Amino acid sequence: QVQLVESGGGLVQAGDSLRLSCTPSEPRFSFYAMAWFRQPPGTEREFVGVITWRNGRTKYADSVKGRFSISRVGAENTVYLQMNGLKPEDTAIYYCAAESSTWGLTLSELDGQNDYDVWGQGTQVTVSS
């Protein structure tokens, strides 16, 4: 069974940057879109952003727009989440998720957890003030 492997989390100070990566455990795994979600302490998981694999279109949550960006590298079959200007409220476990069973969804249809069928194990990001 395919898994998504995340890396890049850690402890940083406010204003710093981090880059998370997400790679399928099987190199030939194909997916329509990959998203990032996060779960801050004591709260529910929330949408961060998504990228469609074929054409690279993106969508972001308002809370991260202008600070975070998602990109993909085809040769590596990897999606990155670049996080700049980190704030303490960005502290959370970050998860990547792939939509591999339904193709052709619009970006507005790709911001819910139920849209995704493969998930990573999560990586902790902690931002100190």
Side-chain angles (χ1 to χ4, degrees):
Q1 185 175 356
V2 175
Q3 297 178 351
L4 300 179
V5 181
E6 299 135 335
S7 64
L11 172 63
V12 297
Q13 293 185 334
D16 285 351
S17 298
L18 271 179
R19 189 179 74 162
L20 307 183
S21 65
C22 180
T23 304
S25 58
E26 294 184 11
R28 299 183 196 175
F29 175 66
S30 62
F31 49 91
Y32 174 70
M34 189 172 287
W36 289 93
F37 290 81
R38 67 185 183 184
Q39 187 166 16
T43 66
E44 296 188 352
R45 197 176 299 181
E46 62 186 26
F47 172 77
V48 174
V50 60
I51 187 167
T52 56
W53 184 257
R54 187 166 295 175
N55 54 24
R57 290 186 299 172
T58 56
K59 175 185 175 180
Y60 300 96
D62 289 343
S63 58
V64 305
K65 208 172 288 184
R67 299 188 298 123
F68 291 12
S69 63
I70 300 176
S71 60
R72 75 216 193 285
V73 177
E76 301 171 2
N77 210 30
T78 295
V79 170
Y80 295 96
L81 175 65
Q82 178 67 43
M83 304 184 292
N84 299 326
L86 283 162
K87 304 175 182 179
E89 52 263 43
D90 294 319
T91 294
I93 300 174
Y94 284 72
Y95 299 88
C96 64
E99 167 57 77
S100 66
S101 59
T102 303
W103 293 67
L105 296 174
T106 64
L107 288 176
S108 63
E109 297 172 308
L110 287 167
D111 59 2
Q113 297 184 55
N114 292 335
D115 298 325
Y116 298 90
D117 53 338
V118 182
W119 287 79
Q121 80 285 355
T123 185
Q124 177 71 46
V125 172
T126 303
V127 185
S128 63
S129 58

